[in-house]
């Protein structure tokens, strides 16, 4: 039995169904990230776990106990909000202690708890300030402090980093990861940023329009996306999704990519998924991540199935650590990720290596993965 | 947003068109300032003049021998109807009516705004709409039923007093006016707080819920401490309106000792027995104006905000 | 609340559940309980009383309310009086005055308010002094300032006398004593009171206009006049609407203005419907007629306000 279990959860606002039957579970000490585009229902789902929204249908259990009708303060949770939601009229210390005050914890104990949390988060010098006198990063820390001090069974984070600038965001991300590692608490974390999802999670739920599209470990989600939406949403730069057809014969299938004003490329597939033979001569979507499309010297040494083809390079984007090259296949711009020192010119043709071990195929009609 | 930002074109006469323009604008503005100030100015100077000076002199002239006599007389001696004890009693009547009415209506408005934004329920817009519309009704359409009800409550108060020796405020005109002003001020105070709390971050309320604060604890510890500006706006708006009210005051306390200031002043001014003492009238008017004028001078910014909030719904 | 049974099965502390759920049910209802008194007060003392007034208008109540319905007689009388112009009935005077006053008051306030706002928006030094001066009349009761106005407009004491003293002896200004013109003095005083506030509304509107739009128009070669006529004033449309609503509702409610300035004017010639209602109800013992006139006032305001409120409240889906 998992620590957090969500069964058939539905949420309606009036007649609009926002959550359409969510099933998730998370082991104790796990880090579940809910990721998806804005408006897909992540915050609503988190709020139902917190008890800030009622549930229309379904059940939420923590540690085996149904908490559907429990008041938020009775659920033994703590929550960090996107806007931090610090009480503007109270000092940092007052903010951190408010929950304890409400529970009638004596002042002395409150002070001890505040000091402890302040030390962990290094906000001791801020305790007497008002939230308006803090920087964005400091507010974020205080918000975390307010959550930490409760020592809850379950931490809930709603896009806690999205109001920070890029550098602080990375710092705080690491800090959250460290906190999770050292305290071993269970966390449910909402973000629309797939990098945060990949770096933090032990489990990811990719959501869209109130439904979970895929639920699994970061590696599963990244390498084996179940449908076009997940493939497209996770990863940066995004996976190349190229319209193609299946050619070849019998056991030796190949994927055929159209090119502008030149004959098509045909890539032989050594170990194609079994479902693919049904798509012979039919259109499919060929998915290949930029890092699986490289200069031949940079290709993965131990990959079993690498095919090379000449491609016309349209744009070159040196990004410092890598160089991205854009070519056109199947009528779409396709991004390849080359080594930083790859000598490559726009307007010329260059051989590119396709790592077909990492390639995935989708049925354009259902948008699902072909297995 | 300003428009006169284009570089001035130099006219041949030596004075630029821009300068002429500016002079024109400032003169117009000054002229209108005089127009708006004139009544207050006339009241002020006249209240310091003797009757002789008023009859012989110019109404716009400054007093030649300023005297406080009219103010003292207005405060302590002038006749309101048949009693000649000045307006001081009526001034206190107004205070006794305004303070509780403002406090109660503001507090209720704050609670209503809190519920209507942070604890929404089905039909909250309809409830708010009905309360809001009440701001706009001509009070003539409720004047009579209210008079009838206050009359019966008064009679009930007499019965109560006969039975228990205490009327519980029933039938007391000041209590009646407090009640009336609370009832018909609720729409405004609710509107002010609703619009303010609408923009108040809901996440704070959620955080407090997670922290275990109850409905009233959230209101007292989170909402109220962060509502100072709208409190000031509402209190000033209600204070000004209730202090200045004439319709309810004359309908429900139009005679007798419980008259509020406005009614008393109207009586002073319209008393037609003997010589009209304009200086005393003006002094009485100034005294009646002082509280709101003071509030306006001290916190005019908030007063304007209140007017705007009452005018433009959010 | 529908899963109480499953809880009893699942939670070890089930004996505590019913009580807790009662308390939480009370907690859930608390917001409504808090709002209820205010809402009930509004329903009874606003809407209930309105119905009561409507009811009274269909009786033949005189000095005291009578509750026997006698049909729309009060309305029939008002209807007859509406056309009784020679000599004018009080009702005829009141509604004609309402027309004159309403139109001039709204129109002049809008024009003057906009004009002053535009002037004040020209980077004026001393704006901080001028603005409160324009606006203060709104903070004072007209019962107070009416004293000064009455004096100022009195031919024997005020403006006329002052100008005579200054040598302009042929000057005559006795509108306040003239039954055909007294309503125009009410307009003057009304405009004096409200125009500063309308100015403030327009000024806020002007300050809210994106400065870059103005710069773009200037680069396009618009003169100042064109700029205001073609760009600014169209952008102020919502302010016009709000200001109109405010003024219309102030105009219909105007009561103390007439009382303080004219005491009703010679022979009631300055009455507005609000004065008509008060006089007929409380002084002339024609309660049914007074109620009928109040109902007509209410319907007039409703026709203006309700569409406005409806659009204001509906426009904001959440
Ligand atoms: N109280 C509410 N009433 C009606 N609709 C709501 C409410 N809260 C959220 N929604 C709707 O639910 C959807 C999901 O919202 P949310 O959970 O905040 O999305 P996310 O956090 O994924 O961006 C949105 O379309 C939003 O408009
Ligand atoms: Mg969200």
């Amino acid at each position: 039995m998992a620590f957090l279990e969500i069964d058939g959860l539905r949420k309606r606002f009036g007649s609009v169904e926002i959550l359409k039957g969510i099933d998730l579970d998370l082991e104790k000490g796990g880090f579940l990230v809910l990721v998806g585009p804005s408006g897909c229902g992540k915050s609503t789902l988190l709020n139902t776990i917190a008890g800030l929204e009622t549930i229309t249908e379904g059940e939420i259990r923590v540690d085996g106990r149904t908490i559907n009708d429990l008041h938020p303060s009775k659920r033994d949770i703590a929550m960090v909000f996107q806007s931090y939601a610090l009480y503007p009229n109270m000092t940092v210390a007052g903010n951190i202690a408010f929950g304890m005050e409400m529970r009638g914890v004596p002042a002395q104990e409150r002070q001890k708890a505040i000091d402890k949390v302040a030390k962990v988060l290094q906000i001791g010098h801020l305790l007497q300030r008002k939230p308006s006198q803090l920087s964005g990063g400091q507010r974020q820390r205080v918000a975390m402090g307010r959550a930490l001090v409760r020592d809850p069974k379950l931490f809930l984070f709603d896009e806690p980093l999205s109001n920070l600038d890029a550098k602080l965001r990375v710092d705080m991300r690491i800090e959250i990861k460290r906190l999770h590692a050292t305290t071993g608490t269970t966390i449910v974390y909402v973000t629309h940023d797939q990098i945060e999802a990949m770096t933090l999670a032990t489990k990811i739920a990719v959501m869209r329009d109130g439904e979970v599209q895929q639920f699994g470990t970061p590696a599963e989600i990244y390498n084996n996306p179940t449908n076009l939406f997940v493939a497209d949403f996770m990863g940066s730069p995004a996976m190349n999704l190229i319209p193609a057809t299946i050619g070849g014969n019998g056991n030796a299938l190949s994927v055929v990519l159209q090119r502008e004003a030149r004959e098509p490329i045909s890539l032989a597939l050594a170990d194609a998924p079994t479902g693919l033979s049904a798509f012979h001569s039919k259109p499919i979507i060929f998915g290949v991540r930029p890092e699986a499309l490289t200069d031949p010297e940079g290709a993965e040494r131990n990959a079993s199935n690498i095919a090379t083809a000449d491609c016309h390079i349209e744009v070159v984007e040196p990004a410092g650590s890598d160089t991205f090259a854009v070519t056109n296949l199947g009528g779409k711009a396709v991004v390849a990720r080359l080594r930083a020192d790859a000598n490559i010119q726009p307007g010329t043709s260059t051989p590119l290596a396709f790592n077909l071990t990492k390639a995935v195929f989708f049925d354009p009609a259902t948008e699902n993965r072909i297995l | 947003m300003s428009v006169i930002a284009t570089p001035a074109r130099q006219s041949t006469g030596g004075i630029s068109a821009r300068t002429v323009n500016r002079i024109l604008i400032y003169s117009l503005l000054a002229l209108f300032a005089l127009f708006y100030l004139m009544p207050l100015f006339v009241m002020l100077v006249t209240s310091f003049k003797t009757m002789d000076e008023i009859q012989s002199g110019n109404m716009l002239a400054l007093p030649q021998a300023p005297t406080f006599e009219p103010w003292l007389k207005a405060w302590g001696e002038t006749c309101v109807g048949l009693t000649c004890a000045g307006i001081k009693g009526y001034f206190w009547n107004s205070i006794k009516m305004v303070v509780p009415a403002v406090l109660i209506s503001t507090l209720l408005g704050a609670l209503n705004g809190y519920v209507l934004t942070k604890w929404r329920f089905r039909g909250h817009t309809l409830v708010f709409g009905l309360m809001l519309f009440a701001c706009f009704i001509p009070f003539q359409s409720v004047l009579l039923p209210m008079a009838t009800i206050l009359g019966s409550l008064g009679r009930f108060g007499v019965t109560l007093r006969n039975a228990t020796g205490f009327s519980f405020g029933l039938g007391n005109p000041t209590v009646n006016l407090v009640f009336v002003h609370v009832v018909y001020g609720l729409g405004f105070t609710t509107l002010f707080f609703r619009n303010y709390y609408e923009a108040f971050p809901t996440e704070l309320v959620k955080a407090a819920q997670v922290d275990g604060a109850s409905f009233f604890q959230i209101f007292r510890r989170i909402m109220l401490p962060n509502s100072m500006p709208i409190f000031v706006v509402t209190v000033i708006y209600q204070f000004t309106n209730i202090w200045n009210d004439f319709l309810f005051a004359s309908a429900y306390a139009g005679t007798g000792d419980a008259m509020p200031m406005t009614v008393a002043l109207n009586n002073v001014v319209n008393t037609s027995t003997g010589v009209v003492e304009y200086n005393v009238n003006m002094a009485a008017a100034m005294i009646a104006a002082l509280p709101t004028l003071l509030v306006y001078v001290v916190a005019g910014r908030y007063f304007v905000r209140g007017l705007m909030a009452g005018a433009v719904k959010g | 609340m529908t899963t109480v049974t499953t809880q009893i099965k699942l939670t070890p502390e089930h004996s505590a559940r019913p009580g807790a759920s009662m308390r939480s049910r009370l907690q859930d209802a608390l917001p409504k309980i808090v709002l209820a008194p205010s809402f009930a007060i509004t329903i009874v003392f606003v809407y209930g009383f309105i119905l009561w007034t409507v009811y009274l208008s269909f009786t033949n109540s005189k000095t005291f309310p009578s509750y026997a319905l006698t049909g729309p007689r009060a309305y029939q009388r008002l209807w007859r009086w509406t056309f009784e112009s020679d000599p004018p009935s009080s009702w005829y005077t009141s509604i004609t005055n309402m027309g004159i006053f309403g139109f001039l008051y709204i129109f002049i306030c809008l024009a003057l308010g906009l004009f002053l706002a535009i002037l004040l928006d020209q980077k004026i030094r001393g704006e901080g002094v001028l603005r409160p001066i324009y606006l203060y009349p709104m903070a004072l009761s007209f019962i107070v300032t009416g004293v000064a106005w009455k004096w100022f407009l009195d031919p024997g004491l005020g403006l006329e006398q002052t100008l005579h003293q200054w040598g302009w002896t042929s000057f005559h200004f006795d509108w306040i004593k003239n039954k055909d013109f007294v309503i125009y003095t009410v307009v003057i005083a009304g405009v004096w009171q409200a125009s500063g506030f309308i100015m403030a509304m327009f000024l806020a509107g002007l300050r809210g206009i994106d400065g870059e739009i103005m710069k773009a128009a200037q680069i396009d070669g618009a003169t100042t006049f064109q700029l205001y006529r073609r760009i600014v004033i169209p952008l102020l449309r919502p302010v016009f609407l709000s200001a109109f609503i405010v003024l219309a509702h102030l105009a219909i409610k105007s009561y103390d203005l007439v009382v303080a300035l004219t005491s009703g004017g010679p022979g009631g010639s300055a009455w507005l419907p609000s004065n008509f209602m008060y006089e007929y109800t409380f002084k002339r013992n024609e309660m049914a007629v007074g109620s009928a006139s109040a109902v007509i006032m209410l319907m007039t305001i409703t026709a203006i306000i309700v569409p406005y409120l409806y659009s204001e409240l509906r426009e904001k889906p959440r």
Side-chain angles (χ1 to χ4, degrees):
Chain A
M1 187 174 61
F3 184 70
L4 168 69
E5 293 168 304
I6 298 173
D7 270 350
L9 181 75
R10 287 174 186 277
K11 171 70 188 173
R12 269 190 290 273
F13 286 115
S15 58
V16 203
E17 191 159 53
I18 303 293
L19 297 177
K20 303 168 183 167
I22 307 277
D23 297 295
L24 292 172
D25 53 73
L26 182 66
E27 70 285 9
K28 198 173 173 70
F31 197 128
L32 168 64
V33 173
L34 306 174
V35 67
S38 164
C40 69
K42 307 178 297 287
S43 299
T44 307
L45 175 55
L46 199 70
N47 282 337
T48 57
I49 300 174
L52 295 167
E53 298 279 7
T54 56
I55 297 172
T56 312
E57 216 175 276
E59 201 170 82
I60 300 176
R61 287 185 298 275
V62 173
D63 224 356
R65 180 166 170 231
T66 306
I67 58 168
N68 282 16
D69 293 333
L70 230 45
H71 189 267
S73 61
K74 304 268 161 59
R75 295 189 176 198
D76 203 1
I77 53 156
M79 187 154 173
V80 177
F81 295 87
Q82 178 171 3
S83 66
Y84 315 135
L86 299 179
Y87 312 125
N89 52 310
M90 302 179 197
T91 61
V92 167
N95 264 281
I96 294 176
F98 187 69
M100 288 186 282
E101 198 187 328
M102 290 296 108
R103 270 174 286 136
V105 177
Q108 259 181 337
E109 269 177 60
R110 294 204 300 249
Q111 192 54 47
K112 251 187 264 169
I114 293 171
D115 290 341
K116 204 169 115 198
V117 165
K119 206 147 126 206
V120 174
L121 291 170
Q122 298 156 13
I123 50 173
H125 59 295
L126 304 176
L127 286 178
Q128 294 318 314
R129 292 207 201 156
K130 290 276 178 73
S132 59
Q133 299 164 314
L134 304 177
S135 70
Q138 288 170 331
R139 281 179 211 183
Q140 223 285 323
R141 272 168 194 278
V142 175
M144 301 246 298
R146 189 170 66 182
L148 272 182
V149 78
R150 303 187 56 133
D151 192 20
K153 271 198 211 145
L154 190 59
F155 270 105
L156 306 176
F157 288 86
D158 192 353
E159 310 211 14
L161 305 182
S162 58
N163 283 343
L164 299 178
D165 61 48
K167 175 153 171 22
L168 256 176
R169 194 147 57 206
V170 175
D171 292 348
M172 288 309 295
R173 200 168 76 203
I174 294 169
E175 188 127 346
I176 289 173
K177 185 139 195 174
R178 194 165 51 85
L179 254 154
H180 178 239
T182 52
T183 59
T185 47
T186 316
I187 294 179
V188 180
Y189 186 107
V190 165
T191 181
H192 65 261
D193 177 352
Q194 44 86 25
I195 299 186
E196 262 173 45
M198 291 299 295
T199 50
L200 290 169
T202 60
K203 280 284 192 65
I204 294 179
V206 183
M207 290 179 61
R208 174 200 197 181
D209 289 343
E211 284 174 340
V212 173
Q213 299 288 305
Q214 189 173 2
F215 179 48
T217 64
E220 280 165 7
I221 301 264
Y222 191 78
N223 295 323
N224 299 310
T226 54
N227 59 28
L228 271 177
F229 174 78
V230 176
D232 191 35
F233 191 77
M234 300 300 288
S236 170
M239 179 185 274
N240 298 305
L241 295 165
I242 311 164
T245 45
I246 298 298
N249 55 23
N251 295 341
L253 291 179
S254 62
V255 55
V256 181
L257 306 171
Q258 298 296 328
R259 284 189 297 185
E260 248 172 74
R262 292 171 73 177
E263 79 286 4
I265 299 178
S266 179
L267 305 169
L269 297 166
D271 38 28
T274 45
L276 206 57
S277 43
F279 285 85
H280 193 274
S281 315
K282 284 188 194 153
I284 52 128
I285 304 275
F286 171 59
V288 61
R289 292 207 179 270
E291 66 267 24
L293 182 55
T294 58
D295 43 330
E297 301 83 52
E300 225 178 298
R301 297 265 165 251
N302 48 6
S304 54
N305 183 7
I306 289 184
T308 308
D310 248 10
C311 294
H312 182 77
I313 304 299
E314 295 179 339
V315 179
V316 174
E317 293 182 316
S321 57
D322 306 286
T323 297
F324 293 103
V326 180
T327 178
N328 192 312
L329 292 172
K332 286 190 70 175
V334 172
V335 179
R337 182 174 183 168
L338 317 181
R339 286 168 307 160
D341 54 356
N343 183 20
I344 190 169
Q345 298 300 327
T348 62
S349 271
T350 304
L352 290 179
F354 290 76
N355 182 352
L356 294 174
T357 326
K358 288 276 174 79
V360 285
F361 305 89
F362 299 94
D363 178 348
T366 63
E367 304 203 337
N368 286 334
R369 175 99 177 268
I370 302 167
L371 292 167
Chain B
M1 190 215 80
S2 176
V3 170
I4 313 295
T6 38
R9 248 171 295 130
Q10 209 63 33
S11 81
T12 44
I15 316 170
S16 71
R18 188 187 140 81
T19 313
V20 174
N21 220 335
R22 297 301 280 177
I23 291 174
L24 194 69
I25 290 175
Y26 276 100
S27 326
L28 277 170
L29 287 172
L31 208 66
F32 276 105
L34 288 183
F35 168 64
Y36 287 110
L37 277 177
M38 191 272 307
L40 191 64
F41 177 78
V42 169
M43 268 163 65
L44 200 63
V45 291
T46 310
S47 72
F48 287 107
K49 286 178 183 172
T50 60
M51 276 309 286
D52 286 347
E53 198 182 335
I54 292 170
Q55 270 144 10
S56 62
N58 187 301
M59 78 172 169
L60 294 173
L62 289 172
Q64 267 140 24
T67 165
F68 256 112
E69 204 54 39
W71 285 69
L72 295 176
K73 192 160 181 205
W75 182 251
E77 293 166 37
T78 192
C79 298
V80 180
L82 295 176
T83 34
C84 294
I87 56 169
K88 60 174 183 290
Y90 307 102
F91 189 89
W92 294 122
N93 283 345
S94 271
I95 300 264
K96 275 184 279 182
M97 165 190 78
V98 167
V99 172
V102 168
L103 291 183
I104 297 171
S105 61
T106 304
L107 194 70
L108 283 177
L111 279 168
N112 294 343
Y114 171 54
V115 171
L116 285 172
T117 53
K118 303 302 173 201
W119 299 88
R120 289 203 161 143
F121 49 88
R122 241 156 199 278
H124 67 90
T125 314
L126 180 68
V127 169
F128 178 57
L130 285 173
M131 295 186 74
L132 190 57
F133 179 69
C135 298
F136 294 98
I137 60 161
F139 292 126
Q140 275 80 5
S141 58
V142 294
L143 213 51
L144 233 151
M146 187 55 111
T148 312
I149 290 286
L150 292 178
S152 358
L153 282 181
R155 282 191 293 281
F156 184 58
V158 173
T159 319
L160 267 185
R161 194 172 51 228
N162 291 342
T164 66
F166 192 64
S167 69
F168 299 97
L170 293 174
N172 177 329
T174 305
V175 175
N176 285 348
L177 282 178
V178 168
F179 177 71
V180 169
H181 284 301
V182 168
V183 167
Y184 297 111
L186 264 182
F188 284 105
T189 58
T190 303
L191 164 70
F192 289 169
F193 279 95
R194 194 206 81 125
N195 285 356
Y196 185 81
Y197 287 153
E198 181 83 22
F200 190 92
T202 302
E203 286 198 342
L204 282 177
V205 177
K206 292 189 173 172
Q209 273 180 283
V210 173
D211 273 338
S214 67
F215 175 83
F216 282 113
Q217 277 171 326
I218 296 174
F219 181 64
R220 215 169 52 77
R221 298 290 306 274
I222 313 293
M223 307 301 283
L224 281 193
N226 296 306
S227 310
M228 224 36 216
I230 199 65
F231 250 93
V232 177
V233 166
T234 311
V235 165
I236 289 179
Y237 185 88
Q238 283 294 88
F239 178 85
T240 313
N241 267 353
I242 299 176
W243 183 275
N244 288 343
D245 163 69
F246 182 69
L247 182 64
F248 286 136
S250 51
Y252 306 137
T255 52
D257 290 341
M259 268 188 247
M261 192 64 227
T262 43
V263 181
L265 176 65
N266 196 49
N267 282 358
V268 170
V269 174
N270 289 326
T271 302
S272 43
T273 47
V275 207
V276 185
E277 293 177 298
Y278 292 105
N279 52 357
V280 176
N281 289 356
M282 299 290 174
M286 282 306 300
I287 293 171
L290 272 185
T292 45
L293 211 51
L294 193 74
V295 165
Y296 181 69
V297 169
V298 172
R301 204 157 47 90
Y302 290 98
F303 174 71
V304 181
R305 252 207 260 169
L307 284 179
M308 300 275 196
V312 194
K313 262 119 270 93
Chain C
M1 295 294 144
T2 49
T3 46
V4 173
T5 45
T6 55
Q7 271 166 10
I8 291 175
K9 204 165 56 209
L10 285 168
T11 43
E13 51 196 341
H14 60 86
S15 59
R17 288 304 297 169
S21 132
M22 266 261 283
R23 214 176 317 132
S24 79
R25 211 171 294 200
L26 189 69
Q27 280 283 334
D28 288 347
L30 198 52
K32 285 178 207 156
I33 295 173
V34 167
L35 190 65
S38 299
F39 187 58
I41 281 177
T42 307
I43 292 297
V44 173
F45 291 98
V46 176
Y47 297 95
F49 278 12
I50 287 174
L51 289 181
W52 189 339
T53 303
V54 171
Y55 187 96
L56 283 176
S57 70
F58 285 98
T59 65
N60 65 351
S61 306
K62 298 280 186 200
T63 315
F64 297 103
S66 109
Y67 292 99
L69 286 174
T70 56
R73 292 224 310 247
Y75 294 96
Q76 283 162 353
R77 287 172 77 184
L78 285 178
W79 182 248
R80 226 177 317 118
W81 287 341
T82 303
F83 303 101
E84 205 175 299
S85 58
D86 193 30
S89 64
S90 300
W91 179 244
Y92 177 84
T93 311
S94 299
I95 56 177
T96 320
N97 280 345
M98 189 68 245
I100 297 171
F101 174 76
F103 175 76
L104 289 177
Y105 172 74
I106 293 175
F107 182 78
I108 299 174
C109 277
L110 286 177
L112 186 60
L114 179 63
F115 179 63
L116 287 176
I118 291 176
L119 287 188
L120 259 192
D121 198 33
Q122 308 303 320
K123 299 225 170 78
I124 294 301
R125 239 189 261 181
E127 186 199 318
V129 178
L130 288 170
R131 222 173 5 165
I133 289 178
Y134 293 175
L135 237 161
Y136 86 90
M138 208 62 185
L140 297 185
S141 164
F142 206 82
I143 299 296
V144 170
T145 42
V147 178
W149 271 106
K150 203 171 173 168
W151 208 54
F152 183 79
L153 296 170
D154 189 313
L157 300 161
L159 185 67
E160 184 174 313
Q161 220 249 351
T162 307
L163 290 178
H164 286 185
Q165 279 183 359
W166 285 347
W168 185 359
T169 46
S170 61
F171 182 83
H172 267 297
F173 188 68
D174 61 351
W175 286 6
I176 201 165
K177 301 250 188 244
N178 181 328
K179 71 178 171 53
D180 293 327
F181 284 97
V182 64
I183 190 65
Y184 297 98
T185 64
V186 179
V187 172
I188 295 173
V191 166
W192 171 83
Q193 189 180 35
S195 52
F197 171 43
I198 302 303
M199 181 279 300
M201 289 182 73
F202 277 118
L203 193 59
L206 285 173
R207 298 275 148 88
I209 292 177
D210 181 1
E212 295 197 343
I213 293 180
M214 312 297 298
K215 285 181 195 151
Q218 280 179 317
I219 290 167
D220 281 340
T223 64
T224 304
F225 181 72
Q226 286 171 326
L227 198 64
Y228 276 101
R229 210 178 66 80
R230 301 284 306 280
I231 314 259
V232 175
I233 293 178
L235 282 174
L236 288 178
R237 246 179 65 130
V239 186
F240 271 99
L241 182 63
S242 303
F244 173 80
I245 297 286
V246 168
L247 288 169
H249 132 263
L250 282 179
I252 296 174
K253 279 181 160 183
S254 287
Y255 169 74
D256 47 4
L257 204 58
V258 174
V259 173
L261 191 66
T262 67
S263 310
S269 53
W271 279 8
L272 293 173
S274 53
N275 306 86
F276 176 94
M277 184 274 165
Y278 195 93
E279 294 288 325
Y280 268 70
T281 307
F282 293 105
K283 305 263 170 77
R284 296 202 183 176
N285 305 328
E286 292 276 10
M287 202 177 266
V289 174
S291 301
S293 66
V295 172
I296 290 172
M297 285 173 68
L298 177 73
M299 290 194 323
T300 314
I301 285 195
T302 307
I304 297 169
I305 295 287
V306 166
Y308 178 69
L309 285 189
Y310 185 72
S311 67
E312 285 274 339
L313 287 176
R314 218 184 46 135
E315 251 166 11
K316 306 181 63 225
R318 265 178 59 94

